[in-house]
Amino acid sequence: MENSLICIKNLFELINVPFTTGYLKKKLLTHPEPESLLAISDILAEYNLESLAIQLTEDKLDQLPLPCVVSKLLSWRNGLEFIGNGIIGFSESKMNPLANTVQ
């Protein structure tokens, strides 16, 4: 749940959407798949924010409008990533959120 929570909070802060961390946690705790893009999409829909799920290759990431949330599946890391304003924060595990933050 922590990875999804970090992504949503970062996104909401960047686009100035008012939220409470407690409410977001509650929504994620009751979601059947709290660590998924579906959970993020469902919460965005509750805030009347549109989202779109697409599948593309890594070389096309620079064509995505920012901010965005990306889910990558690699042999050495799985995780949700938040990309916005030149900041990439990715969560390698629930134990180490934002382990590799690059600015």
Side-chain angles (χ1 to χ4, degrees):
M1 176 192 82
E2 288 301 313
N3 293 341
S4 295
L5 180 62
I6 290 167
C7 286
I8 296 167
K9 285 174 61 173
N10 285 341
L11 178 64
F12 282 5
E13 287 170 358
L14 189 63
I15 62 174
N16 297 315
V17 172
F19 69 92
T20 64
T21 301
Y23 182 75
L24 294 178
K25 282 183 180 179
K26 177 183 170 188
K27 295 308 293 181
L28 287 169
L29 283 171
T30 58
H31 197 279
E33 296 182 48
E35 283 296 327
S36 69
L37 289 175
L38 176 61
I40 293 171
S41 179
D42 288 348
I43 290 173
L44 292 176
E46 275 199 43
Y47 282 81
N48 295 317
L49 298 170
E50 294 180 8
S51 64
L52 174 67
I54 59 172
Q55 184 174 355
L56 49 86
T57 57
E58 205 166 336
D59 61 315
K60 300 211 189 284
L61 284 176
D62 62 344
Q63 297 174 19
L64 291 175
L66 298 180
C68 66
V69 175
V70 177
S71 176
K72 287 175 47 170
L73 197 59
L74 301 172
S75 60
W76 56 275
R77 185 188 80 234
N78 296 337
L80 294 171
E81 298 186 14
F82 171 80
I83 304 174
N85 285 0
I87 299 171
I88 302 174
F90 46 96
S91 309
E92 292 191 22
S93 73
K94 294 177 188 174
M95 299 298 291
N96 194 7
L98 295 181
N100 299 308
T101 300
V102 179
Q103 292 189 337

